[in-house]
Amino acid sequence: MTTTAPSSAAAQPATSSAPLLEVTDVQKWFPGRSKGLLSRTGNPVKAVDGVSFTVHEGETLGLVGESGCGKSTTGRVVSKLIEPTGGAIRFQGRDISGLSRRAMRPLRREVQMIFQDPYSSLNPRQTIGTIVGTPFRIQGQKPEGGVKKAVQGLMERVGLNPEHYNRYPHEFSGGQRQRIGIARALALRPKLIVCDEPVSALDVSVQAQVVNLLEDLQSEFGLAYVFIAHDLSVVRHISDRVAVMYLGKIMEITDRDSLYESPMHPYTHALLSAVPIPDPAVESRRERILLTGDLPSPSSPPSGCVFHTRCPKYRTELSDSQREHCRTTQPVLEEKRPGHQVYCHFPQVRTDLIDGQPGPVRTTGPKTA
């Protein structure tokens, strides 16, 4: 999907001053390699390491980054499918970080998830009516007119034929299966849905249909999304704000237009330079930023700034004293301009586009040179 037109949801700012979801310094570390049946050795794998962000009612936060950066783990931690190692998760002002499964059950009506793989996320032995109706039975809810009527109404709302209530998942295409997953997530009318790469396994034409459906449902029901993806074009289309992740940390977070038109973190510059532009003339003039080296292991991340080992700015633009600062001192995610937070000692600040051309670039940061 290559469209980048602004979504209807993105055009509407969040109306509530208090965030629906507040994630503060959340960590998820997994045990190191297994040494035997009962013991483990080695450093823990820091899949998510100090992530903080907020999501307001009716807002879409896009979460992007290369494979292995911790996006999906963040989504599962936020929805409490896996327990955080540290940090706080507040939903509607309530800290849910340490809640047990029993205590979380009533909140499952408010927080749902759409999974990446529409093939493995549905039980092949259950009919669609059973799959979509399961949330009602687990929560003990009895919809007006009965579960079957409610399920058929959900199926129709997401673009499926209600008469296919008794069919099995293998009788549907990939796009239809993802619509089934969306209907299941929507059943209890949640306030927040975590979308874990919901269109990455689909054909491009089907991706557009599913994204448009998600936007329509958001407008109709006032949903908030955490939209996880690696396709920057899709994220630009659907998101209000975007957070860029690398090696378990958020590198940059701001509103969609600021991120795509004037990014500040070198990693964000590199990601955006890889997005194809349909105009051959513009594409031929554009500079491609290549990241050298392999992605470091999350079990032994680099000291200081975790990105410095692959940062093109570190290699070519900084002085020796500035490089030493990057190697030894860990940055913090701080606001460099209103609403724009960056995890970098020396971010690149770009002015707004002037007559379609980028404005001047300047480096900011501690005066260590």
Side-chain angles (χ1 to χ4, degrees):
M1 176 176 176
T2 58
T3 179
T4 58
S7 66
S8 57
Q12 299 172 356
T15 57
S16 174
S17 57
L20 176 69
L21 174 71
E22 187 174 5
V23 177
T24 307
D25 199 26
V26 162
Q27 299 172 319
K28 180 57 186 178
W29 295 4
F30 295 98
R33 292 178 299 172
S34 177
K35 186 177 181 181
L37 292 177
L38 300 176
S39 64
R40 291 184 177 272
T41 187
N43 298 326
V45 177
K46 300 178 181 180
V48 178
D49 192 20
V51 165
S52 300
F53 59 83
T54 60
V55 181
H56 289 78
E57 290 186 10
E59 181 187 32
T60 299
L61 175 70
L63 199 57
V64 301
E66 59 191 312
S67 298
C69 70
K71 305 186 301 295
S72 294
T73 303
T74 299
R76 283 166 167 75
V77 169
V78 164
S79 58
K80 287 299 297 288
L81 293 183
I82 56 177
E83 295 297 321
T85 303
I89 304 169
R90 302 184 70 87
F91 183 77
Q92 292 183 311
R94 178 186 179 186
D95 190 345
I96 65 173
S97 311
L99 292 184
S100 65
R101 291 194 174 210
R102 180 183 296 273
M104 270 297 298
R105 178 167 289 186
L107 286 174
R108 295 293 180 198
R109 288 174 289 189
E110 309 291 345
V111 183
Q112 290 291 311
M113 191 161 185
I114 301 170
F115 297 93
Q116 176 180 0
D117 190 351
Y119 296 89
S120 63
S121 62
L122 304 178
N123 190 330
R125 294 181 177 86
Q126 292 183 347
T127 65
I128 302 310
T130 301
I131 291 171
V132 179
T134 295
F136 295 115
R137 286 182 280 272
I138 290 178
Q139 294 291 339
Q141 292 195 5
K142 297 181 179 179
E144 184 178 351
V147 172
K148 182 175 182 179
K149 182 179 179 181
V151 169
Q152 289 181 321
L154 286 166
M155 292 176 65
E156 186 173 17
R157 181 61 192 85
V158 300
L160 296 171
N161 189 337
E163 296 179 2
H164 296 165
Y165 178 88
N166 289 317
R167 291 192 177 184
Y168 290 85
H170 73 270
E171 300 179 76
F172 294 86
S173 67
Q176 289 174 322
R177 293 186 199 191
Q178 196 58 288
R179 291 173 187 269
I180 294 167
I182 293 171
R184 177 177 57 187
L186 193 65
L188 299 174
R189 297 293 189 268
K191 290 183 171 63
L192 173 70
I193 297 181
V194 177
C195 307
D196 184 12
E197 302 204 37
V199 297
S200 63
L202 308 178
D203 293 338
V204 174
S205 60
V206 180
Q207 286 183 14
Q209 296 171 15
V210 171
V211 168
N212 289 337
L213 172 62
L214 290 172
E215 289 181 326
D216 291 342
L217 294 173
Q218 182 177 48
S219 177
E220 182 176 348
F221 298 110
L223 301 170
Y225 293 139
V226 175
F227 192 91
I228 301 167
H230 60 266
D231 188 326
L232 293 170
S233 298
V234 173
V235 170
R236 183 173 189 176
H237 179 80
I238 196 171
S239 301
D240 297 298
R241 291 186 299 125
V242 181
V244 180
M245 285 193 70
Y246 177 84
L247 209 65
K249 295 182 179 294
I250 290 180
M251 299 288 103
E252 185 168 5
I253 181 169
T254 185
D255 66 272
R256 175 193 61 195
D257 292 337
S258 294
L259 187 96
Y260 282 84
E261 295 174 6
S262 55
M264 299 177 70
H265 198 284
Y267 180 60
T268 310
H269 280 274
L271 288 181
L272 293 177
S273 76
V275 178
I277 296 177
D279 187 336
V282 176
E283 179 71 20
S284 64
R285 295 195 305 267
R286 189 175 59 155
E287 177 188 2
R288 178 71 187 274
I289 302 174
L290 299 177
L291 301 180
T292 59
D294 296 327
L295 183 71
S297 170
S299 62
S300 58
S303 61
C305 175
V306 295
F307 184 60
H308 85 263
T309 58
R310 302 178 72 199
C311 180
K313 186 180 181 70
Y314 174 89
R315 293 195 313 272
T316 62
E317 299 181 29
L318 301 184
S319 67
D320 290 341
S321 58
Q322 288 174 327
R323 291 192 187 99
E324 177 68 17
H325 191 63
C326 290
R327 284 194 303 268
T328 59
T329 306
Q330 187 174 125
V332 295
L333 187 68
E334 60 181 340
E335 193 169 64
K336 299 295 186 179
R337 59 188 180 195
H340 199 147
Q341 294 178 291
V342 187
Y343 176 91
C344 184
H345 293 304
F346 307 101
Q348 288 183 330
V349 181
R350 300 180 65 173
T351 63
D352 293 336
L353 295 180
I354 303 172
D355 295 328
Q357 300 299 322
V361 178
R362 67 182 186 275
T363 298
T364 64
K367 295 182 179 180
T368 59

